[in-house]
Amino acid sequence: MFKVTKVDHIGIAVKDLEQAKKFYTEMLGMEVQGEEVVEQQKVKVCFIPSGDSEVELLESTSPDGPIAKFIEKNGEGIQHIALRVDNIENALADLKAKGVRLIDETPRYGAGGASIAFVHPKATGGILLELSERK
Ligand code: ZN
């Protein structure tokens, strides 16, 4: 069993992280936290907390990374939505048993030390869905 506990964050693909951050900090008065490069996913990310959820900005570190490919195809914008789950192993096992198409069948490292896994947009009505568990 597992439980979805909240919208963890909204992931936004940007071409220029520094430029994108300025909108949130200077125009909206929000604070950036936890900038990090996740080599495995070829991204530089930062989180901007808002109440109980966060905005995640993602800039590609490589022209063949998933964020670069997303921007090439769709332009900048919302790339994924992340839901917090209390137990990601159970969530993945349960979804797999229900025949839900997964991108990741086992959790991988996510920015900030989360365990994350992606569910295929074909299974979710067109949204790339990230499941995220934080200890
Ligand atoms: Zn994310």
Side-chain angles (χ1 to χ4, degrees):
M1 293 296 289
F2 74 99
K3 199 170 184 177
V4 174
T5 56
K6 67 174 188 169
V7 174
D8 190 79
H9 63 269
I10 295 170
I12 300 174
V14 301
K15 285 181 184 163
D16 182 337
L17 193 66
E18 289 310 311
Q19 194 63 35
K21 275 173 12 184
K22 278 186 190 170
F23 172 75
Y24 292 91
T25 56
E26 292 175 15
M27 300 300 139
L28 297 177
M30 298 168 81
E31 272 181 46
V32 173
Q33 288 182 1
E35 196 164 316
E36 179 180 349
V37 172
V38 182
E39 298 288 356
Q40 192 193 19
Q41 290 162 51
K42 300 178 179 173
V43 287
K44 186 160 75 173
V45 308
C46 73
F47 285 95
I48 305 170
S50 172
D52 203 28
S53 300
E54 296 178 302
V55 172
E56 176 186 37
L57 300 178
L58 305 112
E59 178 193 299
S60 190
T61 57
S62 158
D64 66 346
I67 294 301
K69 286 180 186 162
F70 175 88
I71 290 175
E72 204 177 288
K73 197 173 162 194
N74 307 286
E76 294 178 289
I78 294 177
Q79 195 255 351
H80 66 273
I81 291 179
L83 296 177
R84 176 85 59 97
V85 293
D86 60 353
N87 186 320
I88 196 163
E89 304 275 359
N90 286 357
L92 292 172
D94 191 49
L95 292 173
K96 196 177 172 189
K98 290 171 180 166
V100 174
R101 186 166 168 190
L102 303 172
I103 292 174
D104 302 305
E105 293 195 355
T106 53
R108 53 172 142 147
Y109 176 83
S115 288
I116 67 166
F118 286 97
V119 180
H120 200 282
K122 288 223 160 80
T124 64
I127 298 292
L128 178 59
L129 180 66
E130 177 185 326
L131 301 176
S132 171
E133 179 189 346
R134 286 177 198 270
K135 301 280 184 204

